[in-house]
Amino acid sequence: MIRVGLVHSLNSTHGKVAASCISMALFDFYDAHPHYCTRLSLHIRDPKDDAVDAASAVLDLMENEEVHAILGPEWSSQAKFVIDLVVKAQVPIISFSSTSPFLSPRQRRYFVRTAYDDSSQVGALAAVVQAYGWREIALVYEDTDYGNGLVPYLVDAFQEVDARISYRSVIPVSPEDVDIIKELNKLLMIQTRVFLVHMTAVIGSRFFVLASEAGMINEEIVWIVTDGLSSLLDPVSAKALDSMQGVLGVRPHVPPSESRRDFVERWRKFYSERNPHDEIADLSLFGLWAYDTVTALAFAGEMAWDPAKSKYLKPNMSRNNLDFSFIGISEMGPKLLDEILSIKFQGLSGEFRLPHGELQPIAFEIFNVVGQREETIGYWTSAQGLSPELNLSTKVRYRAFIDDLKPPTWPGNTLKPPKGWVMPMSGKKLKTGVPKKDGFREFFNIEWDPRTGVPSYSGFAHDMFLEVLEALPFAIPHQYVPYVDESRQSAGTCDDMLYKIKLQEFDAVIGDTTIVANRSSYVDFTLPYSESGVAMVVAIKDDERRNMWIFIKPLSWNLWLTTGLAFLSTGFVVWLLEHRTNEEFRGCRSQQIGLILWFSFSTLVFAHREKITNNLTRLVLTVWVFVVLILTQSYTANLSSLLTVQRLTPKFMDMQDLSRNGYSIGYQEGCFVRELLVRELNFDESKLIPYRSLEEYHDALSKGSENGGVAAIFDELPYLRLLLAKYCNKYKIVGPTYKTGGLSFAFPLRSPLVSYISRAILKVTQDKAKMEAIEGRYFRGQSSCQEQDAAIFTDNLSLSVYSFGGLFIISGIVSVSSVLIYVVLFFQSNWPSSSAVHPSDRSLRSRFLETANNFFREHRLLGCLWKNGSKIDPTLRFRSVEASTNNVVGAIARRPNERERPLLMTHV
């Protein structure tokens, strides 16, 4: 006989079900295994639901009965109290009903849980919340180890699906009806309408009956229960089940089997025979776990039995009431523990195996209370998520969508899922903070009636908010609360007003509020209803058309210089190529210089009249005329554009110039732009000047930084567009735009209103006609100044050398090549003969120098002779200095005026 203790309540329904299942398990096991040498001998103790009595019962069983294993106790609080006692005696304590996560077999070696840990169900609960898109949950739980143990696991699970527990309602251990009603009234005062109830059936049954009587089982409220209130674990009464219509819940999945159906029939008969005066209870999962636990223990006892180790090892010492060492140590306990942990078999509750010392659930069922039944609407597994049907063999990605569940019937007998929140029934409206602005009233404006003092509201943000409320599928009663002081002036900055939401002084803030990263740490923003960004506005220069030197503007200075040099070089090349053979290119030095200048510039209007005789010159001029044509056409087009199109050139283009030169900068008072300028753009804080209105912007920009104004204004684009619309063609947006999140509405962190408001904003902003109507009421002047965008160009409007670099390169290559060809031909025809007088002294270098001297001397002589009226045959080619000299002297001798001959000879 293997002595086993059973510490469990026997008078409760739960205890009677467990006791009957244990008795049937012992009978069935040894009936199926009559050849086994061992038998379990149960020694029962009833602790009366008290932890101290449970500890006393365990001590009695170990000291007097020397049990080698203990089944129970019933409650987690009792198990927690006695675990340390059994560890000293090395006696396994096997519980089929202690489900608290506070008890972990991994931390206590001799504690074995043949049930599911309560925390195993939090994944299924979170998946249901995720599928329906609820973001806030109110948790209602009893103030026991069972109730408190699940809270931290629920918090973590909901956080993973972007939800949170926004309110906790704690029910006392032994509550009166008035205690439960008080907590129900508190639930009605909050905004959340998703209530998760984690209780045992004893308290939970009363809770739902009272909730139903209070009218809280309706279509606006979502009720979810944990497995403790499912009929599978702890059946509730029929009256309580009537009060739970439409409730969702989770419970462990128990695979159906023929053996279990046969056992249920036998158990009902057995239970009625043992408890003839009691109503037949439903067989719970705890009863199945008790049956499987005894079966596993009987298997382990057979395998661990050793007659030599069937007693306790006790120390030789006298008993001390304060020292439990006298109990001794079970010799069979460690071996029995190892055998239990290694056992695997198919039990009534499914596969029985104890990895990490406790049962592991296969799946959870999602059920819906309809009538007196709990109808399964889906399943959840840690690998697959939610699914309408259970298929463990299929490998799919984790899913948690509403379509993965069958449509449930919700409280109020409706198929429409509750949205999960309502306006709290505290008689208060949505307290909405609104700004008081001295300027930019197009966005939000507050006017107080001088007689009644009643404020009236208008502006783009106000009208957008009203349109958004109209687009919601439900009504939100709201009340504007101006953010002003006693004198009805603004009470602070926009950041101060938004922080009032965190302080719970405002439920929302409506206005021209910009989404900024640091603000999102204490408020949640909706989607933007208007795009935004920070940019710089500067004054523009006077119209270039009034400039008397505007004709210089079409070309840049480097292009002017390059073009002039090209004209001079081309004229020189033409003169060089034509001078020897063309009489029109001869004359005195001043005449030839003038001819070079005249000829090259006359090509601008194609007015040159000089004859061209050299083919190389014709090639040069062909390319040059094409260059001139392109230049003149481009110049004409650019000048026409300057004279006909209005040009608005900004006074400043670069922010670095403003910062480097110490110019003053303006911004809107109370706006986040100041922080942007100081922290990110590194402007000197002393140079920043706040302004409140468009008029102040205009005045400051008109004066300029030198006269007490500013050089630029930094603000958000919606305000800058208003400035440009009111003062057309005076200012310009320049530089980069620093993106922001846009203008939005603000709510408390994790407010469920944010998603609904955001969807409504999308509906309104996508309605083109509606948006045009709203914008037309406040931004009508912007359309008349839109042509300003077409009149604005960059500051550098002149054509540069780079634009015509290819033309100049082609022209230069042709000119240089022609000159080189001309020089080569000259050297070829005038190279000194080797049969000269002193051939031995004629080196290649001396011949080259002589030919070069002849080239330049001939050009000088031709110029002088032309000046004095002499004619020289251009076809002559002089082979030597003597021949050249004789030719020139002959030309002089033919001069009719003899008085000029001595002068010409001197030149020679």
Side-chain angles (χ1 to χ4, degrees), residues 416 419 421 468-476 756-757 759-760 763:
K416 181 181 180 182
K419 60 179 179 292
W421 63 274
V468 168
L469 293 184
E470 287 291 329
L472 289 173
F474 49 86
I476 298 182
Y756 289 93
I757 295 290
R759 294 189 191 102
K763 292 180 182 178

Coordinates of all heavy atoms in Angstrom, one line a residue, residues 416 419 421 468-476 756-757 759-760 763:
K416 N -24.4 43.4 -33.8 CA -23.5 44.4 -34.0 C -22.5 44.5 -32.8 O -22.9 44.7 -31.7 CB -24.2 45.8 -34.2 CG -23.3 47.0 -34.4 CD -24.1 48.2 -34.6 CE -23.2 49.4 -34.8 NZ -23.9 50.7 -34.9
K419 N -18.8 49.2 -29.7 CA -17.6 49.9 -30.0 C -16.6 49.9 -28.8 O -15.4 50.2 -29.0 CB -17.8 51.3 -30.4 CG -18.5 52.2 -29.4 CD -18.7 53.6 -30.0 CE -19.5 54.6 -29.0 NZ -20.9 54.2 -28.8
W421 N -16.7 51.6 -25.9 CA -16.6 52.8 -25.0 C -17.8 53.7 -25.3 O -18.4 53.6 -26.4 CB -15.3 53.6 -25.3 CG -15.2 54.2 -26.7 CD1 -14.8 53.5 -27.8 CD2 -15.7 55.4 -27.2 NE1 -14.9 54.3 -28.9 CE2 -15.5 55.5 -28.5 CE3 -16.3 56.5 -26.5 CZ2 -15.8 56.6 -29.3 CZ3 -16.6 57.7 -27.3 CH2 -16.4 57.7 -28.7
V468 N -16.4 67.1 -38.6 CA -15.9 65.7 -38.1 C -16.9 65.1 -37.2 O -17.2 63.9 -37.3 CB -14.5 65.9 -37.5 CG1 -14.1 64.6 -36.8 CG2 -13.5 66.2 -38.5
L469 N -17.5 65.9 -36.3 CA -18.5 65.3 -35.3 C -19.7 64.8 -36.1 O -20.3 63.8 -35.8 CB -18.9 66.4 -34.3 CG -17.8 66.8 -33.3 CD1 -18.4 67.8 -32.3 CD2 -17.2 65.6 -32.6
E470 N -20.1 65.6 -37.2 CA -21.2 65.1 -38.0 C -20.9 63.8 -38.7 O -21.8 63.0 -38.9 CB -21.5 66.2 -39.0 CG -22.2 67.5 -38.4 CD -23.6 67.2 -37.9 OE1 -24.3 66.3 -38.5 OE2 -24.0 67.8 -36.9
A471 N -19.6 63.6 -39.0 CA -19.3 62.4 -39.7 C -19.2 61.1 -38.8 O -19.1 60.0 -39.3 CB -18.0 62.6 -40.5
L472 N -19.2 61.3 -37.5 CA -19.1 60.2 -36.6 C -20.4 59.4 -36.6 O -21.5 59.9 -36.8 CB -18.8 60.7 -35.2 CG -17.4 61.2 -34.9 CD1 -17.3 61.8 -33.5 CD2 -16.3 60.2 -35.1
P473 N -20.3 58.1 -36.3 CA -21.5 57.3 -36.3 C -22.3 57.4 -35.0 O -23.3 56.7 -34.8 CB -21.0 55.8 -36.5 CG -19.6 55.9 -35.9 CD -19.1 57.3 -36.2
F474 N -21.9 58.3 -34.1 CA -22.5 58.5 -32.8 C -22.3 60.0 -32.4 O -21.5 60.7 -33.0 CB -22.0 57.6 -31.8 CG -20.5 57.5 -31.7 CD1 -19.8 58.5 -30.9 CD2 -19.8 56.6 -32.4 CE1 -18.4 58.4 -30.9 CE2 -18.4 56.5 -32.3 CZ -17.7 57.5 -31.6
A475 N -23.1 60.4 -31.5 CA -23.0 61.8 -31.1 C -22.1 61.9 -29.9 O -22.0 61.0 -29.0 CB -24.4 62.3 -30.7
I476 N -21.3 63.0 -29.9 CA -20.4 63.3 -28.8 C -20.8 64.7 -28.2 O -20.5 65.7 -28.8 CB -18.9 63.4 -29.2 CG1 -18.5 62.0 -29.7 CG2 -18.1 63.8 -28.0 CD1 -17.1 61.9 -30.1
Y756 N -11.7 56.9 -34.0 CA -13.0 57.3 -34.6 C -12.9 58.7 -35.2 O -13.4 59.0 -36.3 CB -14.1 57.3 -33.6 CG -14.5 55.9 -33.2 CD1 -13.9 55.3 -32.1 CD2 -15.4 55.1 -33.9 CE1 -14.3 54.0 -31.7 CE2 -15.8 53.8 -33.6 CZ -15.2 53.3 -32.4 OH -15.5 52.0 -32.1
I757 N -12.3 59.6 -34.5 CA -12.1 61.0 -35.0 C -11.2 61.0 -36.2 O -11.5 61.7 -37.2 CB -11.5 61.9 -33.9 CG1 -12.5 62.1 -32.7 CG2 -11.2 63.3 -34.5 CD1 -13.7 62.9 -33.0
R759 N -10.9 58.6 -38.5 CA -11.6 58.1 -39.6 C -12.6 59.2 -40.1 O -12.8 59.3 -41.3 CB -12.4 56.8 -39.2 CG -11.5 55.6 -38.9 CD -12.4 54.4 -38.7 NE -11.6 53.3 -38.1 CZ -11.6 52.9 -36.9 NH1 -12.4 53.6 -36.0 NH2 -10.8 52.0 -36.4
A760 N -13.2 59.9 -39.2 CA -14.1 61.0 -39.6 C -13.4 62.1 -40.3 O -13.9 62.7 -41.3 CB -14.9 61.5 -38.4
K763 N -13.0 61.1 -43.9 CA -14.2 61.3 -44.7 C -14.4 62.8 -45.1 O -14.8 63.1 -46.2 CB -15.4 60.8 -43.8 CG -15.4 59.3 -43.6 CD -16.7 58.9 -42.8 CE -16.7 57.4 -42.5 NZ -17.8 57.1 -41.6

